[in-house]
Amino acid sequence: MRINVHDYSGHPFQVQLSRHLAGRGHSVLHEYSTQYVTGRGNLDVGAADPRTLRIEGVAADAPINKYDATARMRFELSYARSWQERLDRQEFDVVVACNVPLFALASMRRYFDRRNQPWVFWHQDLYSFGVSAEIDRKLPAVAGAPLRRWVQGLERKQLLSARRVVAIGDAFVAQYERWGLRTDYVDVIPNWAPLDTLVPVARDNAWAAEQNLPTKSVRLLYAGTLGRKHNPLLLLELLDAARARGVDASLIVCSEGVGADELAAAAGDRPDVRILGYQPADRFAEVLSSADAVIALLEPDAAAFSVPSKVLSYLAAGRPIIALVPDGNPAAADVCRAGGFADEPTVIGAHRAAEWLAATIAAGRDRLAEIGVQARKLADERFDISTIGDRFERIFVDAVRGVPGVKAPASAPSEAPAKERVA
């Protein structure tokens, strides 16, 4: 089968799936955005990779600007054109769209429909909800209501167009039902982390030595995106609360962008705070293993639809997790099952997390290591790529064959006519 896996973000587990499918004999082109800055997986084809695997970056002609609405839409539509030009030059049995921004995928949906291209929507986040939250922040309720209906209509149309949908949690399915969609063409496959590359190694490893990390203090580490779904200042709140409870703690942050800049400005020249950029994919196991505990953040409006992939990486790396995430987010259940701590993303939640950390350390420094072993065990039970690959392969085959009943015929809700060009 000829498969185009297009993961805009370039994250680790998506490219692991592409490698695995290529190893099964499929011809796989894995694509990602070269302009989106985030932590990435191994996006280089090596000598050990299957010959049927290609990995290529896609760039828009327009520059990316995440926080200017007009510029963001211009970039996304330009990105879609770049992807379409590539698809015009080659044929695929199925195209998989993952993490593709809302307006870019709206354009791609129309392109797929015109070409009768079988495609699978690997649904990682309800982007229309994030856009709606931004509309609410900037516009009065009366003016924002039609725009919210429009952007949610875009995402609903995408779900209707796809031959199959892979949702990452049951909350997505519940939302599809609220939108009046059938769900017999939807499969729920939770996200995972690559166990083969994220293997626990020694705390005091080569990367830790290169970064001159403190050896005696309790290392708290955050690795990943710090954006609109996060409150980076909670990291300092947690650090200060831990130190106030007698924990000799230090904070290491591996991130870039506005959140990391805000954190750096707030931290100033504090010796117990280190802010580093994103680290190479081939050093990520060392990065995570250097921590005594790792931290995940998610803001309240992310609710049940956004599962921080960093939590899954933390599980694979075998480290205790402190998650400040909204109540009901699936990540909280995973963290607690692995012996970690989860609470609300608030100052109170940060202080409770500090109390948990202090109590855990008081029970013996080895207790953190024991929790880390428990985390890795959970990852081993859930992240088997062969089992996951079987499920995706069946979904792709069904999408190509056009299995009866998998499309959900329905009309989309009314939308703003002036915006139809983007739909």
Side-chain angles (χ1 to χ4, degrees), residues 197-243:
T197 56
L198 281 178
V199 179
V201 298
R203 173 188 186 267
D204 295 316
N205 54 60
W207 182 86
E210 291 166 12
Q211 302 300 327
N212 197 28
L213 299 187
T215 57
K216 294 183 179 180
S217 68
V218 175
R219 299 175 188 161
L220 305 177
L221 183 140
Y222 180 97
T225 305
L226 272 173
R228 290 288 175 89
K229 294 180 184 177
H230 316 93
N231 177 3
L233 298 185
L234 284 179
L235 296 173
L236 289 181
E237 194 73 42
L238 172 58
L239 174 64
D240 289 339
R243 295 184 68 87

Side-chain angles (χ1 to χ4, degrees), residues 317-328:
R319 288 299 181 264
I321 304 169
I322 295 172
L324 299 178
V325 299
D327 184 37

Side-chain angles (χ1 to χ4, degrees), residues 76-113:
E76 290 189 26
L77 296 179
S78 176
Y79 185 86
R81 286 192 296 272
S82 295
W83 185 10
Q84 291 169 18
E85 289 170 2
R86 288 165 168 264
L87 291 175
D88 284 339
R89 297 194 294 265
Q90 51 197 314
E91 297 287 335
F92 292 98
D93 298 306
V94 64
V95 175
V96 184
C98 181
N99 284 314
V100 180
L102 181 69
F103 302 114
L105 190 56
S107 177
M108 294 306 302
R109 186 271 302 171
R110 296 185 64 178
Y111 173 84
F112 295 146
D113 286 351

Side-chain angles (χ1 to χ4, degrees), residues 324-383:
L324 299 178
V325 299
D327 184 37
N329 187 273
D334 287 341
V335 169
C336 293
R337 195 174 296 119
F341 179 86
D343 208 316
E344 293 288 310
T346 62
V347 171
I348 293 174
H351 281 254
R352 289 174 181 158
E355 290 174 4
W356 174 86
L357 180 65
T360 302
I361 293 172
R365 187 69 175 258
D366 290 344
R367 180 59 188 141
L368 287 176
E370 292 169 359
I371 295 172
V373 171
Q374 187 174 341
R376 176 66 188 200
K377 182 179 179 182
L378 180 62
D380 286 335
E381 292 170 354
R382 289 183 41 194
F383 300 163

Side-chain angles (χ1 to χ4, degrees), residues 33 56 81 100 176 188 197 209 244 250 260 288 300 308 314 322 346 373:
S33 168
E56 298 177 0
R81 286 192 296 272
V100 180
Y176 304 159
V188 175
T197 56
S250 59
L288 298 185
Y314 294 164
I322 295 172
T346 62
V373 171

Side-chain angles (χ1 to χ4, degrees), residues 5 12 16 21 23 29 45 49 63 73 110 146 155 176 198 219 224 227 234 244 250 258 271 277 340 366 374 378 414:
V5 177
Q16 184 198 26
L21 292 171
L29 171 61
V45 176
D49 283 322
M73 183 176 290
R110 296 185 64 178
E155 196 150 25
Y176 304 159
L198 281 178
R219 299 175 188 161
L234 284 179
S250 59
V258 292
D366 290 344
Q374 187 174 341
L378 180 62
S414 60

Side-chain angles (χ1 to χ4, degrees), residues 144-155:
L147 283 176
R148 289 196 304 274
R149 288 194 297 270
W150 173 61
V151 296
Q152 291 184 29
L154 291 183
E155 196 150 25

